[in-house]
Amino acid sequence: MKESMNFINHKYETIIQDNGDTRDKLRQLQEENGSMQSKIDDLTSRVNQLEQNSRMTNIEIQCMPEKKDENLLNLVIELGKTINCNISEDNLAHYTRIAKLKKDSVRPRSIIVQFNSSKKRDQYLAAAIKYNKLNPNDKLNSSHAGLPGPKSPIFICEHLSATNKALHAAARQAAKDKGYKYVWVRSGRVYMRKTEHSEYKIIRNINSLNNLP
């Protein structure tokens, strides 16, 4: 009986020791995992910033009706005339339609326009925003690009990285859910403001949205 008890006690102490070692290893792994996750988040943020920086001379024109024989250069120039920001082909480096994110979407493919300078890009964006504010009953639409047929609204915005575009969409939904009146993008960053006179908030990631009052 005594030998059996000693054997059981020894096994119990061994189990306790092994359990303590396991907890120490688990704690160490959790710390290492937290450190690795922090590094991954930092690298992801840097990659996203690089992607956004590469788009700093671009705009995205959304919902412009598509035609087989369309001339994208003329569309962009005509829009410029409407918003009082005249441009020529010399101001542009590239322009093209891009593939849809959702193949079954009925929305026309977006047009990406790359300017030769961020200054001219910013002037074009600012002019589009100003035009819509001054003409709330006749905001930018397909007729302003010289397209015949029924008018359909079009939107001129910054060309966001995939990460920032998803964040912008999440911010618009959060604004509806939490009663925020304003959501906008400037230089690739997403901003929100609850009222006209409240302080704006920079939305850096999903956690920023989760922490909104």
Side-chain angles (χ1 to χ4, degrees):
M1 178 68 73
K2 184 177 181 180
E3 290 178 357
S4 297
M5 291 300 297
N6 288 337
F7 176 78
I8 292 173
N9 288 336
H10 176 71
K11 286 295 183 181
Y12 179 73
E13 291 174 359
T14 301
I15 291 172
I16 293 297
Q17 181 63 44
D18 291 344
N19 189 47
D21 293 342
T22 301
R23 284 200 303 268
D24 291 340
K25 290 179 181 179
L26 179 60
R27 189 180 301 111
Q28 182 180 355
L29 288 173
Q30 289 174 334
E31 291 175 355
E32 291 176 357
N33 182 63
S35 177
M36 289 296 294
Q37 187 60 52
S38 178
K39 291 178 181 179
I40 290 172
D41 291 343
D42 180 59
L43 288 173
T44 300
S45 177
R46 293 188 183 193
V47 169
N48 178 55
Q49 189 60 49
L50 288 173
E51 290 183 357
Q52 188 59 56
N53 288 344
S54 71
R55 293 166 165 79
M56 292 305 291
T57 57
N58 298 359
I59 63 169
E60 181 175 349
I61 303 176
Q62 300 175 347
C63 300
M64 179 75 76
E66 291 188 59
K67 290 191 174 182
K68 291 183 179 180
D69 58 345
E70 67 184 4
N71 186 318
L72 296 182
L73 175 61
N74 285 346
L75 293 179
V76 177
I77 290 176
E78 286 301 315
L79 284 176
K81 292 178 182 178
T82 297
I83 62 178
N84 197 28
C85 183
N86 294 327
I87 62 170
S88 67
E89 188 173 6
D90 293 337
N91 299 124
L92 307 179
H94 188 62
Y95 39 87
T96 186
R97 294 267 187 185
I98 59 173
K100 296 180 181 180
L101 293 176
K102 297 180 180 179
K103 293 183 179 180
D104 58 345
S105 173
V106 297
R107 288 181 54 164
R109 292 176 297 157
S110 291
I111 301 171
I112 301 301
V113 182
Q114 182 182 20
F115 288 77
N116 284 326
S117 71
S118 57
K119 180 180 179 180
K120 196 64 179 178
R121 191 286 301 256
D122 291 344
Q123 289 175 350
Y124 200 92
L125 271 175
I129 293 171
K130 181 179 180 180
Y131 176 87
N132 282 337
K133 285 184 177 180
L134 294 176
N135 300 274
N137 297 321
D138 188 32
K139 291 185 177 182
L140 286 174
N141 59 71
S142 54
S143 69
H144 295 132
L147 296 179
K151 295 181 181 180
S152 59
I154 62 174
F155 308 93
I156 299 177
C157 53
E158 292 188 27
H159 182 205
L160 298 178
S161 66
T163 297
N164 286 342
K165 186 171 288 189
L167 184 62
H168 186 213
R172 294 198 303 271
Q173 184 58 51
K176 293 179 181 178
D177 296 339
K178 299 188 176 185
Y180 277 71
K181 190 175 181 180
Y182 303 99
V183 180
W184 71 98
V185 174
R186 182 177 297 168
S187 299
R189 286 187 172 184
V190 180
Y191 296 82
M192 292 179 67
R193 176 179 283 158
K194 198 156 195 175
T195 66
E196 184 176 354
H197 302 291
S198 61
E199 184 179 358
Y200 69 80
K201 298 181 182 296
I202 301 177
I203 308 303
R204 304 182 188 279
N205 47 47
I206 295 298
N207 286 335
S208 299
L209 293 176
N210 294 336
N211 294 329
L212 287 175

